[in-house]
Amino acid sequence: MTDILVKVDDLSVRRGDQFSLSHVSLAVKPREIITIVGPNGAGKSTLLRTMMGLIRPESGVIIRKPGLKIGYLPQTLTIDPVLPLTVRRFLSLGVNVSKGTRQALMEEVGVPHLIDRPMDVLSGGELRRVLLARALLRDPDLLVLDEPVQGVDVSGQVEIYDLIARLRDEHGFGVIMVSHDLHLVMSATDHVVCLNQHVCCDGTPEAVQAHPEYVALFGDRVAAGLALYAHHHDHDHDAHGNVIPGSGDGHAGHDHG
Amino acid sequence: MIMDDFLIRALIAGLGVAVVAGPLGCFVVWRRMAYFGAALAHSALFGVALGLLLEISPTLAIVVVCIAVALILVSMQGQRQLAGDTLLGILAHAMLALGLVVTALVDTVRVDLMAYLFGDILAVSDIDLYWIFGGGVLALVALAVIWRPLLAMTVHEELAAVEGVPVARTRLMFMVIIAIVIAVAMKVVGILLIVSLLIIPAAAARPFARTPEAMAILAIVAGCISVVLGLGSSMTWDIPAGPAIVLAAAVLFLVGGLLRKTSRSYEQ
């Protein structure tokens, strides 16, 4: 048990008379990045919230390491303009830390210049980084991220996934996150769980990508994801020896064996 | 110039209420609870009637009734049949009607309805002052205690919960504070105008504040100015004091908004 941060076993969650999760089991270890992928309504957010104790499960077991500190990045955070809140004050809502620690963390997530900015004018990518800083202030053992790239453009998305992986290397926490695009997150993840109310399949990103259940769920989107990925990340593909010419559109449906 | 006794008491009562209503009103505005506050305020008349019926302090009875209504509202938030504002409207008006009916049935005491509905600040007694200051200090201390967790919850409730904020307890405390403030503020502006004393100074403060705490302090200032201006115009033009205070706050809100807009367009 000591090497497991959080573990759920045979977990079922009910919303009204429908099950939104059924018999789900998984565990997160320190330094491990787990990505949950799945279609809308698959129960991805529900799974994260149940793991954190925000939702009471219908049945099943949740075991958290005693004293586990969780850093949480919610899917959406909208600051009503009627609430005057600077980034500095927002960060101080979680825990009290010294000015130096706060500044260092803002630099780690790449936005030290935003510290006195009002929260309601941040762009999607800036908000994600500020949320990340707030989570890191707690010196977490486990980082829980619900769609960490929501409202971020594609090149920004890759940067954020890379940032998460780098922070994991430096701080040594475990990560569990929800993503709807496996291709973007592949290089920054160790283990993928494909969820559609139950666990369809799980394993390394490559194994899940090739799994028939994953292909059945994401059939047409797999191709679309590839086109985007190829278009924005020629270099990665060159390193694998694949020559990617011209526009992304021409490659929709192109299989990346 | 010699001020009359009743005027001094009115001023002290009004300022006392404004000091509590400022910070509390900010949270009502931030959490979009204006209608929630109105529903509680509308229930207060039933509290008055109950107090008369059971021969206990009306202020105490109001606190109890408001807390009960708040708990009913919270427990009904989970249902999905009706939108939140519909539910609040039903409860607010049903409680007001209940209050009016029960008040009419309590015929042992002659009840001055207008005083309860629109306030009677010029008739504030020493005992009322004790209630206002006792309740006010209690409410302010309690609000200071839950300030940071409540602010964290207001920004994002689940994030706050994960970070260890006792969400249910904090929300309950906040409601008890609102109930107390409504009970003590009723004497000043009355049931139908209490919410305005919570939200107008807070809204007036918003354009000039960069932090939540600054907004709370500016809301206190705006509330105090409204009380002084309102009582002053009530004396000068012989108009009802409670509505005059609310009108003064509304004028402050408008003037502040316009000032801010003009200074912004100069900056650009």
Side-chain angles (χ1 to χ4, degrees), chain A residues 88-145:
Chain A
R88 185 192 304 276
R89 188 74 181 89
F90 174 76
L91 292 178
S92 73
L93 286 177
V95 278
N96 278 325
V97 284
S98 71
K99 204 175 155 189
T101 316
R102 190 169 55 212
Q103 197 57 32
L105 275 176
M106 285 294 278
E107 272 169 35
E108 253 193 294
V109 298
V111 285
H113 55 290
L114 296 180
I115 190 86
D116 285 315
R117 211 59 79 73
M119 285 294 288
D120 57 333
V121 302
L122 299 184
S123 75
E126 288 169 345
L127 178 64
R128 289 294 133 190
R129 286 164 191 265
V130 169
L131 284 173
L132 205 49
R134 166 135 171 210
L136 292 177
L137 280 174
R138 292 166 51 73
D139 189 21
D141 309 304
L142 174 68
L143 208 56
V144 177
L145 308 101

Side-chain angles (χ1 to χ4, degrees), chain A residues 150-170:
Chain A
Q150 174 124 327
V152 182
D153 61 66
V154 176
S155 62
Q157 293 185 11
V158 176
E159 278 175 28
I160 289 196
Y161 285 132
D162 287 348
L163 175 63
I164 292 166
R166 201 169 66 235
L167 289 169
R168 182 272 314 257
D169 295 341
E170 284 160 20

